[in-house]
Amino acid sequence: MAMPEAELINSELLVRDMQLTDDVKMTRKSLLRWVALSTGLISPNESRDTAIILLEALLHFSFMGKEPEVPEIMEYMQAAGAKTGEKTVRYHLLQLKKRKIIENDGGKYRFVVPSNTGSRDAGDSFEYSYKSQADSAFAKIKEAVRRLKEMGV
């Protein structure tokens, strides 16, 4: 009998350890792309920019201390040159929510607020989201390895 493997997956993490070169630090666009690549939000050589512009919008509102709703996000993205519809934006927001990077409260979006610090810093939010998911995964991996040891593998 096969294990329902796909149903067992709570979340997936992809973090790339990338060089943060002086060239990357020179423009907002290159920094946004670097953050999206390093956090696994986009794949290398990806040409679609919806996820990057959405990230830019979310960071913009976060830096202003605002929690935007979809219409505000759409307005920002359209002003930034995005040619995308609300359905696509909602899809990307849902993906970020599933990855526990953002949360939605009453239709307002924000980066996850770390429970240990309450920090509203977007960088702290990324770190908290990824580390807490990794910690949870490794706790289960360690338990499985302990069980294997007990079984005499």
Side-chain angles (χ1 to χ4, degrees), residues 13-15 39 99 101 126-134:
L13 297 174
L14 175 59
V15 179
T39 56
R99 293 177 75 173
I101 295 169
F126 272 104
E127 181 180 18
Y128 173 77
S129 295
Y130 282 69
K131 281 187 174 181
S132 61
Q133 290 177 70

Side-chain angles (χ1 to χ4, degrees), residues 78-147:
Q78 289 168 351
K83 307 270 191 268
T84 189
E86 184 175 333
K87 185 176 180 181
T88 302
V89 170
R90 286 187 183 278
Y91 168 81
H92 284 289
L93 287 169
L94 179 61
Q95 297 310 306
L96 291 172
K97 191 174 172 186
K98 284 180 179 178
R99 293 177 75 173
K100 300 177 181 151
I101 295 169
I102 64 169
E103 51 195 8
N104 175 338
D105 184 20
K108 296 177 183 254
Y109 290 87
R110 66 173 175 251
F111 287 98
V112 168
V113 177
S115 59
N116 58 343
T117 65
S119 172
R120 298 241 178 221
D121 179 79
D124 289 342
S125 294
F126 272 104
E127 181 180 18
Y128 173 77
S129 295
Y130 282 69
K131 281 187 174 181
S132 61
Q133 290 177 70
D135 289 347
S136 175
F138 280 110
K140 293 169 193 157
I141 292 167
K142 287 166 61 173
E143 179 184 346
V145 170
R146 273 193 301 273
R147 295 276 304 177

Side-chain angles (χ1 to χ4, degrees), residues 8-112:
L8 298 176
I9 298 171
N10 293 327
S11 64
E12 293 183 74
L13 297 174
L14 175 59
V15 179
R16 296 182 178 98
D17 183 7
M18 297 175 43
Q19 297 177 31
L20 184 56
T21 63
D22 289 339
D23 288 347
V24 169
K25 297 178 195 176
M26 292 189 70
T27 68
R28 182 181 76 219
K29 184 175 181 176
S30 62
L31 279 168
L32 285 164
R33 183 167 181 81
W34 187 93
V35 170
L37 277 165
S38 67
T39 56
L41 299 179
I42 63 170
S43 301
N45 302 315
E46 187 162 330
S47 60
R48 296 173 293 169
D49 61 357
T50 302
I52 295 172
I53 297 174
L54 175 61
L55 175 63
E56 178 182 0
L58 292 170
L59 287 169
H60 167 79
F61 288 111
S62 175
F63 297 158
M64 291 177 52
K66 293 183 72 179
E67 296 178 3
E69 294 182 358
V70 171
E72 294 171 285
I73 295 169
M74 291 288 302
E75 185 178 321
Y76 182 93
M77 291 179 68
Q78 289 168 351
K83 307 270 191 268
T84 189
E86 184 175 333
K87 185 176 180 181
T88 302
V89 170
R90 286 187 183 278
Y91 168 81
H92 284 289
L93 287 169
L94 179 61
Q95 297 310 306
L96 291 172
K97 191 174 172 186
K98 284 180 179 178
R99 293 177 75 173
K100 300 177 181 151
I101 295 169
I102 64 169
E103 51 195 8
N104 175 338
D105 184 20
K108 296 177 183 254
Y109 290 87
R110 66 173 175 251
F111 287 98
V112 168

